[in-house]
Amino acid sequence: MNSPERRHKILIVDDTKENIELLMELFRGDYRVSAATTPERALKLARSEPQPDLVLFDILMPVMDGYQVCAALKNDETTKRIPVIFVTAVSEVMDAAKGFASGAVDYITKPFHPPVVKARVALHLDLKNKYDLLETYAFIDALTEIPNRRRFEQTLDEEWRRAQRTGQPLSLLLFDVDHFKPFNDNYGHGKGDQCLRQLAHAASNVLRRSGDFIARYGGEEFMVILPHADAEQATGIAQDISDAVDALAIVHEHSPVDAHVTISIGLVTLHPHPPGQSSLTNAALVELADRALYAAKGAGRHRIERIDPDA
Ligand code: GH3
Ligand code: MG
């Protein structure tokens, strides 16, 4: 994602130094510009951080067909969102349809009319910004402004695969508000929403280690992923989250558990090594955390229950 204060970065790919100089001169004032004279270097630069926000590509590079390079960028998960604009001389017979088919968003013909080239590049950068923003919002829960369930599914998938590679444990924690229905019924849906926002914020503040992740899983259910955390560490964090919710002291006179809003937590710690576990699906992992939560509810709420999948 681009922050607004960051200058956009453009990658120019052309096998002639003069062409590169020309384009560099044009964009240097507005953007950060890097250049590559070979397809290999272009692919490498496109993949390395900070990634370019846009690639200007001379189609007739002799070594590797420009269409192929464009297609390679579009087939790579890490580069496929970078818009590619082809640059071509009028005298060269450019197959525009083939260019678009390989994933380009536009093409520019030489000789350039500089203001037009600039305007087109600015337009595509603006579109990319909007696309990035849209993508960010698609993974954020609108009420609590923390990641949503879709993001959770993705992250769990990545972390579980990482755990399998590294052999590190992975803990999953599911918490749910106790007696939230009577809270809503008595204080109103608006107060309920406000309560969920406060809970999300308080729980997020407990998570300090990089990689720790929280999402709103459903109505009043939240998921926390704790990479590298064993059962003991995860229990400590679960306790901290529960304490943080208690500390909010949100009055709940209609809860038989306590005079303020409380949560129940289900916890599961996975070790990727034991046979069988490495093949567990996301759904199975969530199911384990859900079972633990159900046990916490059944045991009286406002508590943490842990399930040991190895037992
Ligand atoms: P338990 O302790 O067993 O979890 O009881 P509960 O009352 O919390 O559980 P139940 O499933 O009966 O009720 C959940 C309530 O959560 C009902 C629903 O109105 C409320 N809820 C779910 N999503 C939202 C939301 O986005 N905003 C508000 N205000 N309330 C919500
Ligand atoms: Mg509940």
Side-chain angles (χ1 to χ4, degrees):
M1 250 310 285
N2 291 312
S3 57
E5 62 273 11
R6 162 160 120 52
R7 285 220 302 176
H8 281 113
K9 187 177 174 188
I10 295 183
L11 170 62
I12 298 168
V13 189
D14 200 311
D15 56 346
T16 51
K17 290 246 162 38
E18 301 82 75
N19 284 348
I20 286 180
E21 264 314 305
L22 204 75
L23 287 165
M24 278 215 160
E25 206 42 58
L26 198 58
F27 292 115
R28 228 190 309 259
D30 299 321
Y31 310 114
R32 291 185 297 160
V33 189
S34 59
T37 51
T38 63
E40 294 75 27
R41 179 95 185 124
L43 290 172
K44 185 163 187 284
L45 282 178
R47 285 177 188 134
S48 43
E49 293 289 337
Q51 286 190 297
D53 299 288
L54 184 138
V55 180
L56 277 173
F57 210 112
D58 188 323
I59 197 79
L60 282 185
M61 297 184 46
V63 198
M64 189 179 180
D65 184 339
Y67 303 116
Q68 269 175 283
V69 181
C70 184
L73 288 172
K74 294 295 143 184
N75 283 326
D76 183 331
E77 189 56 38
T78 61
T79 56
K80 71 178 189 189
R81 286 172 200 84
I82 306 172
V84 176
I85 299 179
F86 282 142
V87 181
T88 176
V90 177
S91 58
E92 296 159 357
V93 189
M94 148 112 185
D95 188 343
K98 199 174 167 190
F100 286 120
S102 73
V105 293
D106 206 353
Y107 71 97
I108 295 170
T109 46
K110 291 184 276 191
F112 312 123
H113 186 44
V116 173
V117 176
K118 279 186 152 185
R120 277 195 168 166
V121 164
L123 167 75
H124 287 292
L125 286 171
D126 186 46
L127 284 174
K128 178 172 186 280
N129 270 352
K130 292 192 169 116
Y131 181 84
D132 286 349
L133 206 62
L134 207 64
E135 202 175 53
T136 307
Y137 285 139
F139 290 108
I140 296 285
D141 172 58
L143 175 70
T144 58
E145 294 178 340
I146 63 172
N148 62 15
R149 183 176 183 150
R150 226 154 118 202
R151 185 80 191 163
F152 163 77
E153 300 285 356
Q154 236 182 30
T155 307
L156 181 60
D157 209 51
E158 285 162 18
E159 290 299 348
W160 184 227
R161 265 184 289 162
R162 196 204 308 273
Q164 281 161 351
R165 273 201 312 275
T166 61
Q168 291 282 319
L170 174 75
S171 289
L172 187 63
L173 189 157
L174 172 61
F175 70 87
D176 178 285
V177 187
D178 295 327
H179 300 293
F180 197 47
K181 190 171 179 326
F183 184 92
N184 266 300
D185 291 348
N186 287 284
Y187 303 110
H189 206 78
K191 278 278 191 300
D193 283 357
Q194 195 187 329
C195 172
L196 292 176
R197 274 195 293 265
Q198 283 177 276
L199 293 188
H201 190 243
S204 301
N205 278 344
V206 169
L207 306 176
R208 294 259 157 70
R209 299 190 319 181
S210 83
D212 289 354
F213 170 92
I214 182 167
R216 185 172 177 211
Y217 188 66
E220 27 120 37
E221 282 187 327
F222 296 84
M223 278 286 189
V224 176
I225 302 172
L226 302 168
H228 318 301
D230 61 22
E232 194 188 334
Q233 289 166 321
T235 306
I237 292 170
Q239 191 59 57
D240 289 347
I241 292 176
S242 180
D243 291 348
V245 171
D246 289 340
L248 290 172
I250 303 168
V251 174
H252 191 349
E253 292 157 300
H254 307 274
S255 164
V257 175
D258 209 324
H260 62 267
V261 167
T262 59
I263 57 171
S264 297
I265 304 180
L267 176 60
V268 58
T269 297
L270 298 141
H271 299 270
H273 285 320
Q277 270 206 25
S278 56
S279 61
L280 286 176
T281 60
N282 266 11
L285 299 177
V286 169
E287 164 69 25
L288 288 169
D290 199 46
R291 258 179 29 213
L293 172 63
Y294 188 76
K297 292 281 183 185
R301 298 178 174 78
H302 195 201
R303 70 194 61 222
I304 302 157
E305 285 291 330
R306 198 162 65 76
I307 278 192
D308 184 358
D310 301 334

